[in-house]
Structure formats: structure tokens, C-alpha cells
Amino acid sequence: MGGSPLRILVVGAGIAGLAVARALRLAGFRPDVTERLPPTERADIGLYLPGNAARALRRLDLDGPVRPLGEVIHRQRFLDATGAPLCEVDLDVLWAGVGECRALPRAELHRVLLTGAGGAVRHGAEVSTVEPLPGGVAVGFTDGTTGEYDLVIGADGPRSAVRTLAALGGPPRPAGQVVYRSVVRGGPRVADWTALLGQRAGFLVVPLGAGRLHCYADEAGTSLPADPLARLHELFGGYGGPVPEVLAALETVDVELTTEVELGRWFHGRVLLVGDAAHATAPTLSQGAAMALEDAVVLAESLRAAGSVEAALLAYESRRRPRTRWVRDRTRDRNRTRDVPPALRDPLLRGRGGRIFQEHYRLLTGPL
């Protein structure tokens, strides 16, 4: 169906939606993109992209614009709460032949994707109804406008409205973590992806280039703290390594509860879910953006190769489910490892941690 005049609506202009729009444009389609939020500047947080994300960006012909951004990461270092070494992962070896790992501000990746998608996003367009038609979908918006499409793609995140309206599933379920994110300027010099593992909590620091650090911390829990910054100091004030200097330089922090989305099916008629709307997990493996970028590549390939929309959607879900299931299961594995008491966990990681953590990505180093 490549180059066919299919009327396609992409709901959501985050990483998943813009990547899908880019992939579809490369395949000869001209999708409409809508976003319920106004075009405000994105929060100042960082993003770590493993090697499979780089490969997907290359397939989207966006590796050139991304290459000057952020910083290439060559090594992951795992430390205990005092800052003593536990294990390391050589990322150049792990992702050899796939792509380099990179950390960059999320807003910079979003700008690249927005340009790649053609730049035309209808903001403030919130979907209110999704109704099946013979061979299509009728969509209503909260401003009273309507449209008819051959395919509607819900890329509107873990709390997807499209998922609910199309009867593909309800709200996401809690994954049991409180996550803190921030970008620090003027902090310590950190050369590697560096994680300190404590008692059911962890603190990660990743260089973004230009003297900036992406800070990510999590703890087990299901409720948000009243004062996130104070809670970070309370949780991690006794940690070693770079943490004391990072905390001293920390000014603001974003906080959220992690969620999971696990569905029996990703499409109903001609309504399809992609990215976190279909398969959100806790961010432990840093695969959220990578899975969204891969989704975009595979969806465009499936639509181009298939003889019908229905066949394309079935082929897409059949290809993507094994990889997203792997990410979900390995995420849960790593979270269980983190939750083991340090007295038992740390000796294990000092002996076999590098091999354990590399194994979490084994399937993802293979072909899409």
C-alpha cells in the first residue's frame, strides 16, 4: 500500500506519534497528527537511548540530525550505595553492529522528530469519540469537529484516550515505583552512565554534554511525595559517589508514578495502538523511546508490504509483541534484582552483574 492515498490519523505528538508520522511519510503516506496539549516547551529532562534506538533513528533517516546532540555513552557502571564498584557493562561491545548509545535532552530529540514528521501538528485537538465504519473510522473531537479515516493510530501514551474509546483497554496499572527526573548543571564531572543501587532505591547519573547531567532516581512506592526535592535528599543523602554533589546542585525535579500497560490486543478494526499506549513499562531498561521508534519503523514497513490495512496491522503486532514482551519481562527481572536486600544482591552483582545486565538486552541486539 506504499504511496496509497490512505487517510491516516496519528493521535499524539510525543516521541511515538512523531516517529510514526516520520516513518509513514518516508513510506509515501501523508498522515494527520493531532495533540490535545498546546505547543508548549517540553520539561527539561534527559533521555538515554540504547543502541537499538540509534538503529531505529538510522532507519528513519534521522541519525544525522541527532548525531551532534547530547553525548555518546560507552560504559555503564553499577555502584553500591557507598559508591563502591559492583559491575560494569561495555556498551560498545554490547551494541556492536547495532548502534551507539546516546544521552540527550528529551526536548532536543522531540524537535528532531517534529521536523522529520513535517512539522504540522494540530494542537488542542482532543479526541472524544472513535466509531468504526465499514472500512474506516469516524473520529470526533472535543471542539465539535469530526473526521473519517482509513486508519487511526493511538500514540497518546500510557493513559491513552484512544485505547479507552476503542475498547482496547482501560487505565494503566501501577508498576510500584516513584520516579524522579531532573537535569543538573554545574554538578560533578561524570563520564559514564553511573547507577548507585541501594535498599529498594537507586540513583542514576548520565552525562548529557555541555556540563549537563541527566539525573534519574527511583524508589519502591505507590504515592507521590509532598516535597519531591526534600524526599530525594532524605532518600539519597547518605549515598556516596557523585550523589552528594548532584544533590547539592539539584534545583527542581519532576516526579511521577510508574505504570504498565499489558493488553490482549493492540488493534480493533482500523484503530491501532503504538508506543506506551500499547506496551508501557517502568523505565528501568530505558527502552520506552527505543520501543516507540522501533514501532514506527515496523508499522511503516508492514503498511507498505501488506495488501490491506487489516493484514498490515496483524503483521505489525505479530512482529512487535515478542520484543515488547521481552522488555516487559526483563524490566520486571531487573526490578526484582533491585529489590533484593543489598547484603544478598551486591555479592551476586560483583561476581556476575555484568553478564546479568547484558542478558537483559540480548534479544534487542538482534534484527527487528
Side-chain angles (χ1 to χ4, degrees):
M1 293 185 293
S4 74
L6 281 180
R7 299 164 300 171
I8 301 176
L9 174 67
V10 179
V11 181
I15 289 175
L18 294 178
V20 165
R22 168 66 174 182
L24 292 176
R25 288 177 67 87
L26 290 178
F29 302 100
R30 289 295 178 265
D32 295 333
V33 182
T34 64
E35 168 59 53
R36 67 180 182 85
L37 298 176
T40 54
E41 185 64 29
R42 302 260 158 172
D44 187 18
I45 60 175
L47 186 65
Y48 170 67
L49 298 176
N52 59 319
R55 173 173 56 192
L57 286 167
R58 194 163 62 245
R59 299 275 285 273
L60 295 171
D61 197 23
L62 294 177
D63 53 321
V66 169
R67 196 173 298 120
L69 307 176
E71 189 158 318
V72 176
I73 308 298
H74 300 283
R75 183 172 61 158
Q76 289 182 327
R77 299 175 64 231
F78 294 86
L79 315 176
D80 67 16
T82 71
L86 292 173
C87 59
E88 295 184 357
V89 175
D90 186 328
L91 296 172
D92 295 334
V93 172
L94 173 62
W95 296 103
V98 180
E100 59 192 12
C101 300
R102 182 178 303 275
L104 74 168
R106 180 186 290 266
E108 294 184 3
L109 176 63
H110 188 268
R111 282 193 288 270
V112 169
L113 289 169
L114 181 61
T115 300
V121 175
R122 180 186 168 195
H123 285 275
E126 186 169 358
V127 174
S128 58
T129 59
V130 174
E131 300 290 343
L133 297 173
V137 187
V139 178
F141 298 91
T142 54
D143 64 1
T145 60
T146 61
E148 293 186 7
Y149 299 90
D150 300 300
L151 174 61
V152 173
I153 301 169
D156 48 345
R159 295 171 179 80
S160 168
V162 172
R163 185 175 65 236
T164 302
L165 293 169
L168 283 163
R173 63 168 177 256
Q177 294 169 302
V178 184
V179 166
Y180 306 82
R181 293 183 177 91
S182 186
V183 171
V184 166
R185 294 166 177 80
R189 184 182 181 280
V190 177
D192 302 308
W193 184 105
T194 304
L196 289 86
L197 307 182
Q199 179 73 45
R200 306 194 74 197
F203 198 102
L204 170 67
V205 184
V206 189
L208 295 174
R212 301 165 298 181
L213 296 174
H214 166 49
C215 301
Y216 167 96
D218 63 31
E219 62 169 321
T222 56
S223 60
L224 296 175
D227 186 337
L229 197 54
R231 179 59 177 162
L232 277 179
H233 282 272
E234 177 187 350
L235 276 171
F236 302 106
Y239 276 44
V243 174
E245 289 183 74
V246 171
L247 289 177
L250 204 58
E251 296 180 354
T252 62
V253 62
D254 289 337
V255 61
E256 65 178 354
L257 300 176
T258 59
T259 57
E260 280 188 347
V261 174
E262 186 176 357
L263 303 175
R265 55 181 179 170
W266 292 353
F267 68 93
H268 182 203
R270 290 191 171 201
V271 180
L272 171 72
L273 302 176
V274 300
D276 282 349
H279 46 70
T281 66
T284 314
L285 294 187
S286 301
Q287 279 293 318
M291 288 296 101
L293 294 168
E294 287 188 0
D295 281 356
V297 171
V298 174
L299 177 57
E301 289 179 355
S302 300
L303 284 168
R304 190 169 55 236
S308 68
V309 172
E310 290 77 9
L313 301 189
L314 184 60
Y316 164 78
E317 183 169 340
S318 298
R319 283 182 63 183
R320 292 302 296 154
R321 264 199 185 274
R323 290 174 78 83
T324 61
R325 186 184 301 118
W326 173 276
V327 169
R328 183 196 67 212
D329 292 346
R330 301 294 80 74
T331 295
R332 292 173 179 173
D333 288 346
R334 185 172 289 193
N335 287 342
R336 283 190 290 267
T337 300
R338 182 205 59 194
D339 292 342
V340 173
L344 299 176
R345 180 197 63 210
D346 292 357
L348 171 67
L349 294 184
R350 287 191 171 96
R352 297 194 290 121
R355 293 192 297 276
I356 291 171
F357 290 140
Q358 286 185 63
E359 173 63 17
H360 291 161
Y361 296 98
R362 176 172 54 82
L363 181 72
L364 305 180
T365 63
L368 295 182

